[in-house]
């Protein structure tokens, strides 16, 4: 039990993790390790294929390479520490490491929201004004959108850390979660967190809502354009270019909204942890699979790169 003191004097926190059962922890360790390896291979593979194949040097794949980078970073911020905690009984995390993990998590999550919005704008430009696509999605605009996404992510993270840094703890340093997330740390504080909660809620809410509105508006226009296409094959082709992105967006936002757009007092350990496992560990693995398995261009690029390697070896 800690005496009432400033958060900066807290030396460490204890992460309760996912379960007390040793058998379940071993099963989870094996499962998460497998998922993490697939995540690393899938996302690194995606970045390499996009870099190595000139035919994939288009705005869509430029955004996709950044999405893979974010997923890889996102997963690496959470999963290795979680794997370590599942193996050992010592589940301490230093104050500095805890806040570093939380700030990177918020930064990468918010950046991904706006990167997904940028990808929706790219799909809108490709389907709704194909003749002006190269002009609309110029290299400069694509770089600006990506830079803007990272900048918004950094701002969100900065505000979050500034707010959380004002907290005091007096009763416990036990975090009822498997990583340092905002809600369980807020629920630890013995001071009034009302103002801080409102500030974090506004920032997180704006990020989610603005990016979600951008995606929704883009897809309303995309859908109306697709419906105007007379040929069935044309409709199918137009829809298939959006299907992967739409699936990725649906999975990402549904778990994010379920977890974050509610007060921290309604934080429920079981349900919130399942959702958290999903978007911190599972989604970074799913994205490269969604975008590659549903995409002929990526499959063709893989075979071209392999073919090139064979030829260069010969």
């Amino acid at each position: 039990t800690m005496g009432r003191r400033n958060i900066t004097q807290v030396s460490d926190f204890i992460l309760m993790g996912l379960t007390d059962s040793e058998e379940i922890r071993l099963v989870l360790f094996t499962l998460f390790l497998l998922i993490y390896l697939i995540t690393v291979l899938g996302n690194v593979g995606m970045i390499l294929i996009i870099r190595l194949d000139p035919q994939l040097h288009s705005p869509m794949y430029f955004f996709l390479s950044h999405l893979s980078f974010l997923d890889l970073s996102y997963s690496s911020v959470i999963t290795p520490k979680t794997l370590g905690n599942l193996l050992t009984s010592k589940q301490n995390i230093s104050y500095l490491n805890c806040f570093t993990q939380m700030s990177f998590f918020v930064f990468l999550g918010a950046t991904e929201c706006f990167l997904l919005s940028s990808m929706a704008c790219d799909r809108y430009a490709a389907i709704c004004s194909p003749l002006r696509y190269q002009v609309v999605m110029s290299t400069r605009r694509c770089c600006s959108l990506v830079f803007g996404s990272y900048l918004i992510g950094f701002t969100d993270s900065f505000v979050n850390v500034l707010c959380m840094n004002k907290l005091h703890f007096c009763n416990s340093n036990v975090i009822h979660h498997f990583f340092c997330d905002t809600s369980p740390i807020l629920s630890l504080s013995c001071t009034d967190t009302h103002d801080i909660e409102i500030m974090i809620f506004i920032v997180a809410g704006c990020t989610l809502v603005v990016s979600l509105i951008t995606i929704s508006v883009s897809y309303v226009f995309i859908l109306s354009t697709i419906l105007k296409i007379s040929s069935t094959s044309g409709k199918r082709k137009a829809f298939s270019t959006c299907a992967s992105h739409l699936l990725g967006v649906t999975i990402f936002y549904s778990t994010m909204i379920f977890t974050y757009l509610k007060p921290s007092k309604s934080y429920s350990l079981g349900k919130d942890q399942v959702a958290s496992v999903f978007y911190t560990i599972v989604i970074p693995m799913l994205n490269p699979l969604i975008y590659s398995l549903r995409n002929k261009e990526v499959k063709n690029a893989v075979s071209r790169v392999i073919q090139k390697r064979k030829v260069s070896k010969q």
Side-chain angles (χ1 to χ4, degrees):
T1 305
M2 295 189 157
R4 176 184 277 259
R5 48 181 153 163
N6 195 300
I7 191 164
T8 48
Q9 292 172 301
V10 173
S11 60
D12 62 357
F13 292 106
I14 297 160
L15 289 165
M16 282 304 284
L18 290 157
T19 178
D20 291 331
S21 162
E22 212 154 296
E23 290 84 3
I24 297 173
R25 270 163 57 178
L26 202 61
V27 170
L28 287 176
F29 173 81
T30 312
L31 181 65
F32 290 173
L33 181 63
L34 186 66
I35 290 172
Y36 185 58
L37 291 174
I38 296 168
T39 303
V40 172
L41 283 171
N43 287 296
V44 169
M46 196 63 125
I47 294 166
L48 285 175
I49 290 296
I50 292 166
R51 278 285 163 90
L52 293 171
D53 191 81
Q55 288 186 38
L56 296 185
H57 292 177
S58 66
M60 179 183 167
Y61 293 103
F62 173 69
F63 291 127
L64 196 50
S65 64
H66 278 277
L67 183 68
S68 288
F69 169 72
L70 285 176
D71 281 335
L72 184 63
S73 309
Y74 198 67
S75 185
S76 299
V77 164
I78 309 290
T79 317
K81 178 66 182 166
T82 305
L83 288 170
N85 284 355
L86 285 169
L87 272 190
T88 58
S89 54
K90 187 176 177 285
Q91 296 182 328
N92 289 32
I93 184 167
S94 70
Y95 159 78
L96 184 66
N97 285 350
C98 188
F99 267 63
T100 304
Q101 187 185 56
M102 184 174 65
S103 58
F104 269 105
F105 170 69
V106 173
F107 164 62
L108 294 163
T111 305
E112 187 155 329
C113 283
F114 280 93
L115 189 71
L116 289 168
S117 303
S118 303
M119 290 171 83
C121 294
D122 171 63
R123 293 299 81 210
Y124 163 75
I127 288 166
C128 299
S129 51
L131 298 175
R132 294 185 63 245
Y133 178 65
Q134 295 300 331
V135 179
V136 174
M137 297 307 291
S138 61
T139 307
R140 192 177 174 184
R141 180 154 296 163
C142 291
C143 291
S144 301
L145 285 168
V146 168
F147 177 73
S149 300
Y150 283 104
L151 189 65
I152 290 164
F154 175 77
T155 308
D156 273 20
S157 178
F158 186 68
V159 170
N160 191 73
V161 169
L162 275 184
C163 290
M164 298 296 280
N165 218 26
K166 292 174 182 173
L167 294 178
H168 294 79
F169 300 97
C170 51
N171 297 322
S172 174
N173 66 336
V174 177
I175 297 170
H176 292 279
H177 208 11
F178 64 94
F179 71 100
C180 291
D181 199 3
T182 313
S183 302
I185 293 177
L186 272 171
S187 63
L188 272 189
S189 177
C190 58
T191 48
D192 183 30
T193 60
H194 185 255
D195 293 346
I196 292 172
E197 267 189 69
I198 286 173
M199 188 66 190
I200 290 171
F201 185 84
I202 289 168
V203 172
C206 285
T207 301
L208 277 170
V209 171
V210 171
S211 59
L212 204 50
I213 286 171
T214 310
I215 292 167
S216 305
V217 170
S218 298
Y219 273 103
V220 166
F221 283 113
I222 286 168
L223 195 62
S224 66
T225 306
I226 290 174
L227 291 173
K228 287 173 193 168
I229 298 170
S230 52
S231 69
T232 316
S233 62
K235 278 182 182 173
R236 195 178 292 125
K237 192 186 174 191
F239 186 73
S240 70
T241 61
C242 304
S244 302
H245 180 252
L246 203 52
L247 183 61
V249 162
T250 307
I251 296 168
F252 181 77
Y253 279 91
S254 53
T255 50
M256 276 293 208
I257 288 165
F258 173 80
T259 312
Y260 290 107
L261 289 192
K262 61 181 192 295
S264 72
K265 293 286 173 279
S266 68
Y267 173 77
S268 138
L269 187 62
K271 281 189 292 185
D272 283 38
Q273 280 197 343
V274 170
S276 299
V277 164
F278 207 74
Y279 67 76
T280 56
I281 297 171
V282 180
I283 289 177
M285 174 194 73
L286 288 180
N287 274 342
L289 296 175
I290 289 168
Y291 286 99
S292 59
L293 294 176
R294 290 193 54 87
N295 197 315
K296 277 183 188 164
E297 283 182 25
V298 174
K299 288 177 189 172
N300 294 341
V302 172
S303 54
R304 277 196 299 272
V305 168
I306 293 167
Q307 204 64 40
K308 260 188 198 171
R309 286 288 142 107
K310 280 181 184 174
V311 170
S312 63
K313 274 182 184 177
Q314 284 167 2

